[in-house]
Amino acid sequence: MKLICIGRNYTDHIAELANERPTDPVIFMKPDTSILPAKHPFFIPDFSDDVHHEVEILVKISKVGKHIDKKFAHKYYDQIGLGIDFTARDLQAQLKSKGLPWEKAKGFDGAAVIGDWLPKEQFENLNEVSFSLTKNGNKVQEGNTSLMLWKIDEIIEYVSKYFTLKIGDIIFTGTPAGVSKVEANDELIGYIGNQPMFTVTVK
Ligand code: MG
């Protein structure tokens, strides 16, 4: 299975990193070995001094497909979740400045937090889902899928032009503003609406 991640999908986060607004979605992958096992703490890797949390809405693919039209995209996923795209920002900045791929900064072991899943039928409107992240009890990130530059069905249309989507693949749909460095002993809790979806302790 693969983890397909969308970068720069929220205007406010593009602004906070002083990135250019993309004309097409920015796509990268994380390997399956980056998935943080459930209930495990997240260990800050020794190659980074600036790991950031990025809370993101997740979509789980339920049907094989390629060249999926956005009109039919909803038939290809059945669950919505919440996760963290942990990013070694210092390493990413070095790689970006050299025009190199980001994988080391995004795909290291433990860099993908995947929380609980909810059936998509539970949502009245998937383009109106609010979510947030608290760090040690303080809300640090808050987003709503209505603010995505590319909505879920558009992401599926775009991504499936390049990559066959397989059952169990997971799409990370991008992060809103509020990313910040994590430190040992931080406790991160992600919410969809008021419902806690994961808790991660940082070591
Ligand atoms: Mg991200």
Side-chain angles (χ1 to χ4, degrees):
M1 60 89 87
K2 55 191 175 293
L3 308 178
I4 302 164
C5 308
I6 308 301
R8 304 183 197 169
N9 203 20
Y10 288 85
T11 311
D12 55 353
H13 173 63
I14 294 170
E16 78 178 341
L17 293 189
N19 280 321
E20 272 175 47
R21 189 187 168 109
T23 48
D24 287 308
V26 173
I27 298 178
F28 59 94
M29 304 251 193
K30 289 177 185 271
D32 57 5
T33 45
S34 68
I35 297 171
L36 185 69
K39 316 271 185 235
H40 277 225
F42 171 75
F43 287 91
I44 297 172
D46 57 11
F47 53 76
S48 177
D49 197 30
D50 195 21
V51 172
H52 283 193
H53 54 75
E54 296 189 355
V55 71
E56 311 199 358
I57 289 285
L58 311 184
V59 177
K60 194 188 270 188
I61 298 299
S62 57
K63 189 174 159 184
V64 176
K66 69 184 296 186
H67 296 298
I68 300 164
D69 190 287
K70 68 180 173 199
K71 283 200 296 287
F72 304 113
H74 64 96
K75 296 174 190 275
Y76 290 82
Y77 59 94
D78 57 358
Q79 295 183 88
I80 300 296
L82 192 73
I84 296 178
D85 164 20
F86 275 121
T87 303
R89 194 71 70 202
D90 42 1
L91 186 51
Q92 187 195 29
Q94 276 176 32
L95 294 166
K96 270 164 80 173
S97 73
K98 294 181 187 155
L100 294 171
W102 302 347
E103 264 68 13
K104 286 192 292 184
K106 293 277 200 179
F108 58 87
D109 288 0
V113 173
I114 296 172
D116 297 335
W117 293 97
L118 300 170
K120 76 164 189 247
E121 293 72 31
Q122 199 169 313
F123 297 88
E124 220 168 277
N125 181 356
L126 286 175
N127 293 326
E128 201 63 66
V129 177
S130 66
F131 60 101
S132 60
L133 184 78
T134 63
K135 182 161 78 173
N136 307 323
N138 302 312
K139 197 177 280 184
V140 284
Q141 286 194 270
E142 198 166 19
N144 190 294
T145 54
S146 64
L147 302 172
M148 288 177 166
L149 296 178
W150 286 277
K151 305 291 192 255
I152 293 171
D153 291 355
E154 293 168 329
I155 291 171
I156 286 178
E157 178 178 81
Y158 186 83
V159 164
S160 69
K161 283 186 206 173
Y162 300 89
F163 311 109
T164 297
L165 296 179
K166 295 174 79 176
I167 295 169
D169 287 349
I170 293 171
I171 300 177
F172 280 65
T173 60
T175 198
V179 301
S180 66
K181 181 179 173 175
V182 296
E183 313 261 8
N185 302 316
D186 281 347
E187 185 188 59
L188 304 169
I189 304 179
Y191 297 85
I192 290 183
N194 296 320
Q195 188 167 345
M197 302 296 287
F198 62 77
T199 300
V200 177
T201 306
V202 179
K203 299 277 189 193

